[in-house]
Amino acid sequence: MNEQHQKVRAWLETLFVDEPIPTFEINSKTIEILSTLVDINRKKDQDAKILTEDLAQKKNEYRSEAKRLQRIISSVGLPLSNLSQSGLTSVRTLASTALLLDLRDTKMSSYLLGINELSKELHSAKEEEIKSKHATTKQLQKTNKALIQYNSLKKACETLEEQISLQEPILKQRLRDTGFLNQKTGEYQRQLDQLLSYQKQANLEPALYHKALEKKYEDVVKLEEDLKPLKSKLDTYHSLPPDISLAKVRLEEARRELQSLEEQLTRNIDSMHSM
């Protein structure tokens, strides 16, 4: 039997005195629980004993104070039996106040100290109430802010769900298009592989490759652009006669025609002056 078991056994014997102790399962868990219960019970018994002793002491003090008041009242010729109803009420009120303030005696200083202590407690209670109101207000503000955020998030979620429902057909169509493009890409890749294989088997010259042909086409376009001013210049010579003698004849005819036009112009000017 260990120390805990002995403690539990002694407590049970004290508790049941002459009555038989009820049977219980003895194991480490049960002994541990009962040992804890013993400690709690002993602490409660000690607290109750202290409280009882304090109440007994206060009772004796109140009796002594009552006797003192009785002596004082008797000394002035005012026994309790001679007090008026209001006087008895006042005495009872003082006694109740002393009990309420938990006074050791009924001296004026004790009442003042008790009232002062009660005022401090009241002030502390008011401060706690103010702090509690402040904390409640702050918590309410946080709650309102959280509620606003919740409503905003809820609205955003609803908007996203609506957008998803609208975008879903488009996404499905794009998915189908992507599948089609992937399929075409595979087909084009196979065709390209076949063409490359054919090109390799045919031993085509590099000059016939697509890039080489594109380069030649660009060179041809550039040459055509370079030839345009030369063609324009060449066209100006097409109106000239091919023989030098014919060119001289044409030149003489042009000179005569110019001379005739000058003479006609002179005659016209003279006729204008004569008018």
Side-chain angles (χ1 to χ4, degrees), residues 42-53:
R42 286 179 177 176
K43 182 68 170 58
K44 293 292 184 182
D45 290 343
Q46 186 178 3
D47 293 341
K49 182 179 179 182
I50 293 172
L51 181 60
T52 302
E53 291 176 353

Side-chain angles (χ1 to χ4, degrees), residues 44-242:
K44 293 292 184 182
D45 290 343
Q46 186 178 3
D47 293 341
K49 182 179 179 182
I50 293 172
L51 181 60
T52 302
E53 291 176 353
D54 183 65
L55 291 175
Q57 182 180 355
K58 286 183 178 180
K59 182 184 71 172
N60 294 330
E61 291 175 355
Y62 289 145
R63 282 181 178 177
S64 299
E65 185 65 18
K67 290 179 181 179
R68 188 179 72 83
L69 291 175
Q70 180 67 35
R71 287 195 301 270
I72 294 172
I73 293 173
S74 298
S75 64
V76 296
L78 292 173
L80 289 177
S81 57
N82 293 335
L83 288 177
S84 63
Q85 186 64 35
S86 61
L88 290 173
T89 302
S90 298
V91 172
R92 291 193 185 97
T93 302
L94 288 173
S96 300
T97 305
L99 289 173
L100 181 63
L101 296 176
D102 196 18
L103 302 180
R104 298 181 64 85
D105 52 51
T106 56
K107 295 179 181 179
M108 180 63 70
S109 59
S110 298
Y111 277 102
L112 293 175
L113 290 174
I115 293 172
N116 185 42
E117 188 67 25
L118 186 62
S119 298
K120 289 181 179 179
E121 292 178 0
L122 179 61
H123 181 68
S124 299
K126 287 183 177 179
E127 287 183 348
E128 289 295 329
E129 183 182 5
I130 293 172
K131 290 180 180 179
S132 178
K133 286 183 178 179
H134 180 69
T136 303
T137 303
K138 192 173 182 180
Q139 189 65 32
L140 183 61
Q141 291 175 351
K142 290 182 178 179
T143 303
N144 292 333
K145 185 177 180 181
L147 184 60
I148 293 172
Q149 291 178 349
Y150 168 76
N151 291 330
S152 299
L153 290 174
K154 184 179 179 181
K155 187 175 181 180
C157 289
E158 292 175 353
T159 304
L160 287 175
E161 289 177 356
E162 184 178 355
Q163 291 179 355
I164 289 172
S165 62
L166 294 175
Q167 292 291 331
E168 188 174 2
I170 299 175
L171 293 175
K172 288 182 178 179
Q173 182 61 39
R174 288 181 179 176
L175 183 61
R176 288 192 293 269
D177 293 343
T178 302
F180 175 75
L181 292 175
N182 289 333
Q183 181 181 356
K184 284 296 182 182
T185 301
E187 292 178 1
Y188 292 150
Q189 185 63 44
R190 287 191 294 271
Q191 292 178 6
L192 179 61
D193 294 339
Q194 291 176 359
L195 291 173
L196 290 174
S197 177
Y198 172 75
Q199 176 183 329
K200 186 176 181 181
Q201 293 175 1
N203 293 323
L204 295 176
E205 295 181 359
L208 297 177
Y209 289 171
H210 180 71
K211 289 185 178 180
L213 293 175
E214 282 186 346
K215 183 66 171 60
K216 288 183 178 180
Y217 174 74
E218 292 175 357
D219 294 340
V220 170
V221 172
K222 185 177 180 182
L223 288 173
E224 288 179 350
E225 292 294 329
D226 294 339
L227 287 174
K228 283 182 180 180
L230 296 176
K231 284 183 178 181
S232 299
K233 188 175 181 180
L234 181 61
D235 290 339
T236 58
Y237 293 103
H238 286 168
S239 60
L240 296 176

